[in-house]
Amino acid sequence: VQLQASGGGLVQAGGSLRLSCAASGLTTSTNFMGWFRQAPGKERELVARIAWRSGTRYYADSVKGRFTISRDGALKTWYLQMNSLKAEDTAVYYCASSAWAGTVVNDYHLWGQGTLVTVSS
């Protein structure tokens, strides 16, 4: 299984971006899909997570009401719609998959390459 992230770029504060993560194949261990981000000098943090089968979502407090995670089972792809972007959202964003509803990096066993999101103020 491989994950391919895309959709990052440069956007002004208040703008929107949509990130995509395509999986080349899913197994029984890929039950939860997440988006992490890592800003310069900071630890990688979970931004949002979705359960592949039920669609149950989790959001970090810092993005609630602004970001939406979704998935397309047919395309084996999940998305992160980011609205009302702020300068502090600037980071490299990573998609990842886990067998359980993890919240930290070590809970996730498969990672996509990062995609850079830069929000100018």
Side-chain angles (χ1 to χ4, degrees), residues 5-55:
S6 61
L10 174 64
V11 63
Q12 290 187 333
S16 299
L17 279 175
R18 188 177 82 155
L19 307 182
S20 300
C21 186
S24 61
L26 295 176
T27 70
T28 55
S29 65
T30 51
N31 296 320
F32 293 86
M33 311 306 193
W35 285 100
F36 283 76
R37 69 184 179 187
Q38 187 166 20
K42 295 188 177 181
E43 293 186 351
R44 195 171 298 187
E45 62 175 353
L46 180 65
V47 173
R49 181 190 66 224
I50 188 167
W52 192 251
R53 293 175 178 80
S54 69

Side-chain angles (χ1 to χ4, degrees), residues 41-121:
K42 295 188 177 181
E43 293 186 351
R44 195 171 298 187
E45 62 175 353
L46 180 65
V47 173
R49 181 190 66 224
I50 188 167
W52 192 251
R53 293 175 178 80
S54 69
T56 302
R57 295 167 173 83
Y58 162 90
Y59 296 99
D61 288 343
S62 58
V63 306
K64 281 181 181 176
R66 300 188 299 121
F67 291 11
T68 302
I69 189 170
S70 61
R71 84 255 194 257
D72 185 321
L75 295 178
K76 298 180 180 179
T77 301
W78 65 103
Y79 308 94
L80 187 67
Q81 177 66 43
M82 306 185 293
N83 298 328
S84 302
L85 283 161
K86 306 175 181 179
E88 51 263 42
D89 294 319
T90 295
V92 177
Y93 284 71
Y94 300 87
C95 57
S97 66
S98 174
W100 59 85
T103 57
V104 296
V105 169
N106 287 343
D107 290 334
Y108 289 75
H109 62 277
L110 189 63
W111 292 83
Q113 88 288 2
T115 184
L116 177 63
V117 172
T118 303
V119 183
S120 62
S121 57

